[in-house]
Amino acid sequence: KGVVDATLPWAQRAGREEHFLFSEPVIAVEGEYFYYLKDGSFQWDAGTSPHSQWQGKTIAATIGHNYGAEFQQAEKSGLIKTERLSDLKQGLQMLIFGRVDALISKRHVVTPYLNSYFSSEQRTKLTSVPVSQKPPSFDYLLISKRGKHADYFLQKFNRGLEKLKASGDYQRLMVDLANGMYSKNMHAVK
């Protein structure tokens, strides 16, 4: 509707270009990871067909998140049982106490929760493995084509992003993001 000039972060999907201009890639979006107990029975090989590995597993997942076609189909068909939760902290607690076999999420989403709500001893019980071997995709700034200055904002944003990357500041920001520096409402466990 053009009420706001831009929004971030969004994937480049068919149909969006009708309404939006896309910036240069802003952030690499890593794939999903399975988090599981080191001494548990969960095993995962990203190079093997997922169907045989999912059989009978219970996986904590966030309500409303799409984890890809294979996961969604395995969930729908009953191949895997999912515990869809609104709170990632609850999913991690269920994992640590052995109530689910694994939790699926992105590292930059899980890391702030682990660092804020769980002790070092609890964190060391967990390990993770990528769900897939696919290369990362990217998220972009979307600028409404209805805005009067859409082309101007796109040009300025891309130029600023280029300067951040050239100075090394972009890389520092991405490391800080991965370490949970920008997570709201997180309080570190002492």
Side-chain angles (χ1 to χ4, degrees), residues 30-114:
E30 66 182 357
E32 304 292 343
Y33 278 72
F34 281 128
Y35 287 82
Y36 58 97
L37 292 171
K38 288 178 183 174
D39 62 359
S41 63
F42 186 84
Q43 295 180 355
W44 187 256
D45 179 356
T48 303
S49 171
H51 301 290
S52 61
Q53 297 179 86
W54 279 337
Q55 184 69 44
K57 300 297 182 196
T58 301
I59 300 177
T62 303
I63 292 171
H65 284 218
N66 182 330
Y67 298 102
E70 286 182 305
F71 185 90
Q72 302 297 111
Q73 183 56 38
E75 180 179 30
K76 184 178 178 180
S77 72
L79 182 64
I80 56 172
K81 179 182 176 194
T82 55
E83 290 287 339
R84 288 282 183 163
L85 307 163
S86 61
D87 183 4
L88 191 58
K89 180 181 172 187
Q90 181 184 6
L92 287 165
Q93 288 170 328
M94 290 174 74
L95 178 59
I96 288 171
F97 292 110
R99 294 188 50 217
V100 294
D101 296 302
L103 175 135
I104 187 170
S105 188
K106 296 187 183 320
R107 282 189 301 188
H108 74 271
V109 175
V110 168
T111 299
Y113 279 87
L114 286 173

Side-chain angles (χ1 to χ4, degrees), residues 61 64 68 72 74 94 108 110 121 126 132 147 155 161 167 181 187:
Q72 302 297 111
M94 290 174 74
H108 74 271
V110 168
E121 180 183 342
L126 302 178
S132 166
Q155 181 184 57
L161 184 60
S167 71
M181 293 284 294
H187 304 287

Side-chain angles (χ1 to χ4, degrees), residues 115-169:
N115 291 339
S116 297
Y117 296 116
F118 297 91
S119 69
S120 176
E121 180 183 342
Q122 290 171 315
R123 291 191 307 265
T124 60
K125 292 180 179 182
L126 302 178
T127 191
S128 64
V129 63
V131 173
S132 166
Q133 294 177 340
K134 294 177 186 171
S137 60
F138 294 91
D139 277 346
Y140 302 81
L141 177 77
L142 270 60
I143 300 173
S144 174
K145 288 183 176 181
R146 291 188 178 189
K148 292 180 192 178
H149 308 291
D151 290 322
Y152 171 82
F153 288 141
L154 179 64
Q155 181 184 57
K156 290 293 186 184
F157 181 84
N158 285 340
R159 188 176 304 142
L161 184 60
E162 186 180 315
K163 287 180 181 179
L164 282 172
K165 288 180 178 180
S167 71
D169 287 338

